[in-house]
C-alpha cells in the first residue's frame, strides 16, 4: 500500500472527539449528559470523561504526535459546554480561547483543522429539558454553530454539524445504549427528526456566518453499517431492510432527497413533531461535503416479536476460529467501505465530495518494552485503505481518510477498556506510547512535513 495509490490531493488525517479525550474536569466545562449517564451506571464501571486523556492540558504534545506522524489533517470536536455551559445564552470566553489556540497550534504544525460541532456531549441543562426530543435543542444548536463559525471559521478547513445522527437518535433513545439511555419509540422518533433539524439549522447558521463559497467546507458526518439478512427467509430479509432503513437510508434520504424512506416513516411518523415535513427543505439544503464513518457490518435476523423494527443483530458476527474481528467483536469487513462509497455516489449525489471521517478498530493493546505491537490494526488500515483507493480509481469523489483514533480514549458505554488509538495512553500516568500502527502511518505518509519537528 503506497500513498501514490490515491489521488494527488487526497488528505490523510486522524480523529478524536472532545468528550473522549479532553477531560471535563479540566478548564471550565459545564456538565453534560454523558456525565450523568455514567453516574447512573450507563457505562462500564461507571467510567466517564472527567479526566479522559487530559488532552485539555496535554494538547500540544498530542498535536506534535499528529505532526510527527506526517498527517495532513486532524478532525476534532468542540465541547458545547465549554463554550456555552448552559447550552444557551452566556458564552464562556475560556472555552472559545481553548479551541482558538488549538486551531492555531494545528496551523503552526501545518495540519489542516477539521471541526465537528457536536460529537455527543450535550449540555446537561438542555438534557434536563428533554434533550434531542425537544425541538428547542435544535434551535440552540444553530446558535452554537454560529458562535463557533464566527470565532474559528476563518481558519478551518471543514466543519461538520453533527457526528453520527443514528447514534444520537436511535442508539441513545431506542436502544438505550448511549446517553440519555432511553428505550422508547416516541422519544426515538422525535430525536430522529430533531437531530436532522439541528443539522439544517446549523447549516443555516454556518452559511449566514461564512457564506456558501467560503473555503471552509460545510457538511455532516453519517455512520453507515452494512446490514446482511441472516438467511433467505423473507422475515430476515425484511428485518435487514428495516435495519438498513433506520441506520443508513433515513439520514441520507433526508439530506440528499429531502424525504424520509416510506418503510420507516410509516412507523415513526405518529410520534414525530407536528409540522415535521416543513423542515425537510432546510434539512436537505446543499452540503459541501459528506463525512462517512465506517466500522463494520451486522447480520440481522427476525426477532420473532412481529413488532417494528422486526430485527436484531446476531452478535458476535464471525466464523468460529476466524481472526477477522476486533476486541469489541465487531466483524472486520473492508468491502463494506467501498460498498458505501459507491452507494452514496451512485444512489444519492454523484458530485458530493466524500471523506472517510472515521475508520479504525479496537484491540487489547499492551505496552511491552516501550512498544505496542498492534499488527492487526496495521492490517485493518491497509485493507480498508485499499478499498478506498479502489473506489477513488473507479470514479467515486472520495477525498480524504481519517484514522480513528489518535489516542486510546473514553469509548462511551465501554469505558476505557476498548482501545482504538494509534497511540497508547496509560490512563494512570497519561503516558503516550505510539503503537506500531502509528509508525506504519508515519512511514506510509513519508514522515513529518515541517523541519521544525
Ligand atoms: C464512532 C464514534 C466515535 C468512536 C468510534 C469507535 O461511532 O463516532 O466517537 O466511539 O465509533
Amino acid at each position: 500500500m503506497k500513498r501514490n495509490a490515491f489521488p494527488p490531493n487526497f488528505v490523510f488525517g486522524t480523529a478524536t472527539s472532545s468528550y473522549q479525550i479532553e477531560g471535563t474536569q479540566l478548564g471550565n466545562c459545564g456538565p453534560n449528559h454523558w456525565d450523568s449517564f455514567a453516574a447512573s451506571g450507563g457505562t462500564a464501571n461507571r467510567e466517564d470523561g472527567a479526566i479522559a486523556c487530559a488532552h485539555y492540558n496535554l494538547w500540544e504534545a498530542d498535536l506534535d504526535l499528529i505532526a510527527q506522524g506526517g498527517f495532513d489533517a486532524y478532525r476534532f470536536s468542540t465541547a458545547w459546554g465549554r463554550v456555552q455551559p448552559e447550552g444557551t445564552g452566556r458564552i464562556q470566553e475560556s472555552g472559545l480561547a481553548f479551541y482558538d489556540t488549538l486551531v492555531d497550534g494545528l496551523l503552526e504544525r501545518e495540519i489542516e483543522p477539521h471541526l465537528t460541532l457536536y460529537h455527543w456531549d450535550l449540555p446537561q441543562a438542555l438534557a434536563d429539558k428533554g434533550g434531542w426530543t425537544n425541538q428547542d435543542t435544535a434551535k440552540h444548536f444553530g446558535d452554537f454553530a454560529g458562535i463557533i463559525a464566527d470565532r474559528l471559521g476563518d481558519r478551518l478547513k471543514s466543519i461538520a454539524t453533527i457526528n453520527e445522527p443514528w447514534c444520537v437518535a436511535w442508539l441513545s433513545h431506542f436502544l438505550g445504549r448511549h446517553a440519555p439511555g432511553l428505550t422508547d419509540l416516541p422519544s426515538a422518533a422525535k430525536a430522529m427528526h430533531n437531530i436532522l433539524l439541528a443539522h439544517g439549522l446549523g447549516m443555516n447558521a454556518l452559511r449566514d456566518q461564512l457564506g456558501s463559497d467560503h473555503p471552509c467546507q460545510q457538511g455532516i458526518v453519517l455512520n453507515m453499517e452494512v446490514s446482511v439478512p441472516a438467511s433467505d427467509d423473507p422475515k430476515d430479509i425484511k428485518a435487514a431492510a428495516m435495519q438498513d432503513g433506520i441506520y443508513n437510508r433515513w439520514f441520507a434520504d433526508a439530506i440528499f432527497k429531502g424525504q424520509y424512506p416510506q418503510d420507516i416513516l410509516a412507523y415513526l411518523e405518529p410520534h414525530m413533531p407536528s409540522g415535521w415535513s416543513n423542515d425537510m427543505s432546510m434539512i436537505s439544503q446543499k452540503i459541501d461535503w459528506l463525512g462517512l464513518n465506517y466500522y463494520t457490518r451486522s447480520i440481522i435476523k427476525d426477532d420473532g416479536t412481529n413488532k417494528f423494527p422486526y430485527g436484531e443483530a446476531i452478535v458476535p458476527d464471525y466464523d468460529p476460529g476466524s481472526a477477522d474481528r476486533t476486541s469489541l467483536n465487531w466483524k472486520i469487513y473492508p468491502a463494506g467501505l467501498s460498498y458505501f462509497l459507491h452507494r452514496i455516489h451512485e444512489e444519492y449525489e454523484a458530485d458530493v465530495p466524500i471523506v472517510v471521517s472515521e475508520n479504525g478498530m479496537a484491540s487489547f493493546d499492551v505496552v511491552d518494552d516501550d512498544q505496542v505491537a498492534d499488527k492487526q490494526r496495521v492490517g485493518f488500515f491497509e485493507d480498508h485503505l485499499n478499498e478506498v483507493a479502489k473506489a477513488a480509481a473507479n470514479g467515486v469523489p472520495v477525498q480524504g481518510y481519517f484514522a480513528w483514533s489518535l489516542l486510546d480514549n473514553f469509548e462511551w458505554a465501554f469505558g476505557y477498556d476498548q482501545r482504538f488509538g494509534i497511540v497508547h495512553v496509560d490512563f494512570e500516568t497519561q503516558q503516550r506510547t505510539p503503537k506500531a500502527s502509528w509508525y506504519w502511518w508515519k512511514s506510509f505518509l513519508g514522515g513529518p512535513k515541517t523541519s521544525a519537528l
Side-chain angles (χ1 to χ4, degrees):
M1 172 58 47
K2 289 264 185 322
R3 188 173 181 153
N4 63 13
F6 293 82
N9 295 325
F10 197 90
V11 170
F12 289 98
T14 183
T16 63
S17 84
S18 46
Y19 192 75
Q20 294 179 277
I21 64 166
E22 287 177 3
T24 50
Q25 272 178 15
L26 310 172
N28 289 323
C29 190
N32 77 70
H33 71 168
W34 271 94
D35 303 326
S36 47
F37 185 60
S40 67
T43 62
N45 311 313
R46 294 180 192 263
E47 286 165 352
D48 62 22
I51 301 297
C53 307
H55 171 78
Y56 184 82
N57 293 335
L58 302 176
W59 63 270
E60 286 177 282
D62 292 339
L63 299 200
D64 286 346
L65 284 166
I66 304 170
Q68 285 156 1
F71 288 97
D72 311 313
Y74 176 51
R75 173 173 175 246
F76 63 101
S77 76
T78 35
W80 190 342
R82 279 196 195 283
V83 176
Q84 289 187 291
E86 293 82 29
T88 169
R90 180 170 76 96
I91 300 174
Q92 182 166 261
E93 172 55 27
S94 63
L96 276 180
F98 173 67
Y99 295 112
D100 212 345
T101 316
L102 184 80
V103 168
D104 285 344
L106 287 165
L107 296 176
E108 276 161 25
R109 290 167 179 80
E110 296 180 33
I111 305 165
E112 293 178 1
H114 294 258
L115 183 149
T116 301
L117 289 163
Y118 182 75
H119 199 128
W120 309 351
D121 30 12
L122 184 72
Q124 187 63 41
L126 298 182
D128 291 343
K129 293 191 190 115
W132 292 112
T133 67
N134 181 346
Q135 293 221 309
D136 289 346
T137 301
K139 295 184 186 129
H140 298 315
F141 174 76
D143 296 340
F144 171 59
I147 295 166
I148 297 291
D150 178 38
R151 181 68 171 256
L152 305 175
D154 58 332
R155 284 156 292 153
L156 297 173
K157 200 73 184 175
S158 78
I159 298 186
T161 52
I162 305 290
N163 180 67
E164 302 189 350
W166 179 84
C167 291
V168 176
W170 197 255
L171 186 66
S172 308
H173 296 81
F174 186 79
L175 299 175
R177 290 197 225 125
H178 277 190
L182 300 182
T183 51
D184 70 278
L185 191 61
S187 298
K190 289 179 186 64
M192 290 287 272
H193 179 70
N194 290 342
I195 194 62
L196 284 162
L197 176 62
H199 160 70
L201 289 165
M203 285 298 295
N204 278 358
L206 297 179
R207 298 298 195 206
D208 280 354
Q209 253 337 302
L210 305 172
S212 50
D213 51 2
H214 195 278
C216 170
Q217 301 289 290
Q218 303 149 47
I220 185 171
V221 169
L222 302 182
N223 55 325
M224 295 193 172
E225 191 169 298
V226 183
S227 177
V228 185
S231 75
D232 291 344
D233 184 330
K235 288 183 163 178
D236 289 340
I237 292 172
K238 176 178 178 185
M242 288 285 164
Q243 163 84 356
D244 181 64
I246 296 166
Y247 210 124
N248 305 317
R249 286 182 280 120
W250 181 266
F251 303 101
D253 280 18
I255 287 164
F256 293 114
K257 301 181 177 167
Q259 60 195 33
Y260 290 128
Q262 272 308 326
D263 56 342
I264 309 299
L265 186 62
Y267 298 93
L268 299 195
E269 188 172 19
H271 312 291
M272 279 165 58
S274 60
W276 63 267
S277 59
N278 300 331
D279 302 329
M280 296 314 285
S281 57
M282 182 171 35
I283 290 172
S284 61
Q285 66 188 283
K286 195 171 165 22
I287 52 176
D288 302 329
W289 72 289
L290 179 76
L292 168 66
N293 291 357
Y294 174 76
Y295 286 94
T296 189
R297 73 170 191 193
S298 285
I299 307 279
I300 306 293
K301 70 174 170 58
D302 178 74
D303 62 12
T305 63
N306 208 23
K307 263 177 58 190
F308 179 77
Y310 298 99
E312 63 192 7
I314 295 183
V315 180
D317 156 24
Y318 56 81
D319 304 325
S322 82
D324 59 354
R325 63 184 190 273
T326 75
S327 59
L328 276 167
N329 275 336
W330 294 0
K331 171 89 173 175
I332 298 177
Y333 188 60
L337 182 50
S338 46
Y339 164 77
F340 280 122
L341 290 170
H342 277 281
R343 187 167 161 189
I344 294 163
H345 175 60
E346 281 146 30
E347 284 180 30
Y348 288 103
E349 196 171 310
D351 295 340
V352 70
I354 310 170
V355 169
V356 179
S357 34
E358 284 179 32
N359 182 229
M361 65 168 284
S363 54
F364 295 122
D365 303 317
V366 285
V367 182
D368 184 12
D369 203 11
D370 286 337
Q371 302 197 2
V372 183
D374 60 338
K375 268 213 200 101
Q376 193 190 13
R377 183 174 287 107
V378 169
F380 180 102
F381 285 134
E382 285 179 322
D383 292 347
H384 286 79
L385 285 172
N386 197 32
E387 295 294 316
V388 177
K390 267 196 315 201
N394 288 327
V396 178
V398 52
Q399 301 188 346
Y401 176 99
F402 287 71
W404 183 271
S405 178
L406 173 66
L407 303 170
D408 291 339
N409 58 43
F410 174 71
E411 181 43 43
W412 307 113
F414 301 108
Y416 289 96
D417 275 357
Q418 296 294 336
R419 295 179 174 274
F420 272 91
I422 55 173
V423 173
H424 183 277
V425 176
D426 178 327
F427 295 107
E428 299 294 316
T429 63
Q430 293 300 343
Q431 173 72 37
R432 272 70 166 146
T433 308
K435 303 181 189 177
S437 54
W438 182 91
Y439 287 101
W440 178 86
W441 273 106
K442 182 175 178 178
S443 126
F444 171 77
L445 296 170
K449 289 193 210 13
T450 62
S451 47
L453 292 161

